[in-house]
Amino acid sequence: LPRPPPAAAGSGPVGPCGRRAYAPPAERKRFYQNVSISQGEGGFEINLDHRKLKTPQAKLFTVPSEALAIAVATEWDSQKDTIKFYTMHLTTLCNTALDNPTQRNKTQLIRAAVKFLETDTVCYRVEEPPALAELQKNEWDPVVAWAEKRYNVTIGSSTSILGPNIPASTKETFVSHLASYNMWALQGIEFVITQLKSLILSMSLIDRHITVEKAVLLSRLEEEYQIRRWGNVEWAHDYDLCELRARTAAGTLFVHLCSESSTVKHKLLQD
């Protein structure tokens, strides 16, 4: 102790063969007063009072950068009387990176991410109704065009149920690009892709070409169109939207912090 229990069934990003990455439990009464970080042999550790945080597999919770440690510690410090684990996305991502419950190596993570190109949200288009088709063209085409220019690849789009025919050279280019990220960052990239159902939107976001709000809106384009046309269930739409933004933002921040080479110089949780 203290460590979050193992993943709850029915929640968390889906891994290969239906296995799920770690998902936090629902809630627990706060059992600590102070949160701090310290530097150990393996990296930066999180301290809850005088106890060190551990993963669901009882490994010492150690992160590679001070910036990420500060972000995780802030998640724990911001909890009130009740610890709402489902709001602690950075902690969950770190647990997944440390325990690697799906036991995948770097090559497998990269291949899983690139496979999303075959069903990428922004590559599947409709022909009817014309208004939605036009909306998809106006909103998605610029992002696809940016990705094609940024990575010097051909992606395209299709109205066929089979989706676009993505060239093998395009997939290999993305494989090579993703190989430049470390294992921790790749866990975050896959998490973002899972939220947006799009490798193209995810890389556009991580490369800072679009914002989190824009990426989420583009990933929900058809749903937002239908809501504007037919209305929505009161509060449910706003809740889902905020949740998706929070997860996407956390995943993007995780990627950036895991790719950060410099050390944050300021102290943790300064007043």
Side-chain angles (χ1 to χ4, degrees):
L1 289 172
R3 59 179 183 270
S11 57
V14 179
C17 304
R19 294 176 294 180
R20 293 180 177 271
Y22 277 8
E27 295 183 4
R28 178 182 177 184
K29 185 177 179 180
R30 178 164 172 160
F31 55 88
Y32 55 90
Q33 294 295 321
N34 301 307
V35 184
S36 63
I37 66 172
S38 57
Q39 188 168 9
E41 293 182 3
F44 292 88
E45 303 164 359
I46 310 298
N47 307 305
L48 305 179
D49 292 335
H50 300 295
R51 296 173 289 186
K52 294 188 179 298
L53 185 64
K54 293 186 179 181
T55 73
Q57 291 185 10
K59 296 178 182 177
L60 183 63
F61 191 102
T62 306
V63 300
S65 74
E66 185 180 6
L68 180 57
I70 289 172
V72 171
T74 301
E75 279 190 335
W76 285 87
D77 192 59
S78 65
Q79 303 302 306
K80 304 304 179 184
D81 295 335
T82 301
I83 306 172
K84 302 181 185 300
F85 290 103
Y86 52 84
T87 68
M88 303 170 71
H89 305 302
L90 293 175
T91 299
T92 301
L93 281 164
C94 289
N95 281 332
T96 303
L98 287 165
D99 285 348
N100 190 15
T102 56
Q103 296 298 304
R104 289 179 294 168
N105 57 32
K106 185 172 183 177
T107 299
Q108 290 170 317
L109 279 173
I110 292 171
R111 293 293 179 183
V114 173
K115 190 171 178 60
F116 269 87
L117 266 178
E118 299 172 4
T119 56
D120 201 291
T121 295
V122 301
C123 293
Y124 275 81
R125 307 296 176 86
V126 300
E127 294 179 311
E128 298 289 340
L132 178 56
E134 184 70 15
L135 183 64
Q136 291 177 340
K137 176 179 175 61
N138 293 339
E139 296 293 336
W140 286 347
D141 277 3
V143 181
V144 174
W146 172 86
E148 290 180 328
K149 181 178 180 180
R150 164 70 174 83
Y151 300 106
N152 191 27
V153 296
T154 300
I155 299 172
S157 61
S158 174
T159 57
S160 168
I161 193 173
L162 299 177
N165 183 19
I166 306 293
S169 59
T170 296
K171 296 178 182 179
E172 289 306 315
T173 296
F174 277 107
V175 167
S176 298
H177 176 71
L178 291 173
S180 65
Y181 290 91
N182 60 44
M183 278 284 290
W184 281 64
L186 286 172
Q187 294 278 7
I189 290 172
E190 186 185 37
F191 181 77
V192 175
I193 293 172
T194 302
Q195 307 311 310
L196 301 177
K197 306 298 186 294
S198 171
L199 173 64
I200 297 171
L201 290 177
S202 298
M203 298 315 300
S204 299
L205 175 58
I206 291 167
D207 277 358
R208 298 183 175 89
H209 175 64
I210 57 177
T211 64
V212 169
E213 291 78 6
K214 182 70 171 179
V216 169
L217 178 62
L218 292 177
S219 74
R220 291 166 51 94
L221 199 62
E222 182 173 356
E223 183 176 353
E224 294 294 333
Y225 170 82
Q226 299 295 350
I227 287 173
R228 287 198 300 270
R229 186 176 182 184
W230 304 108
N232 66 295
V233 178
E234 188 176 0
W235 71 261
H237 167 259
D238 291 339
Y239 177 83
D240 290 344
L241 183 61
C242 289
E243 278 292 293
L244 182 55
R245 283 177 178 170
R247 292 192 298 269
T248 302
T252 305
L253 177 62
F254 183 82
V255 173
H256 290 159
L257 294 181
C258 291
S259 305
E260 181 64 54
S261 58
S262 61
T263 302
V264 175
K265 299 300 183 182
H266 60 272
K267 290 176 62 179
L268 168 68
L269 304 178
Q270 289 180 327
D271 293 335

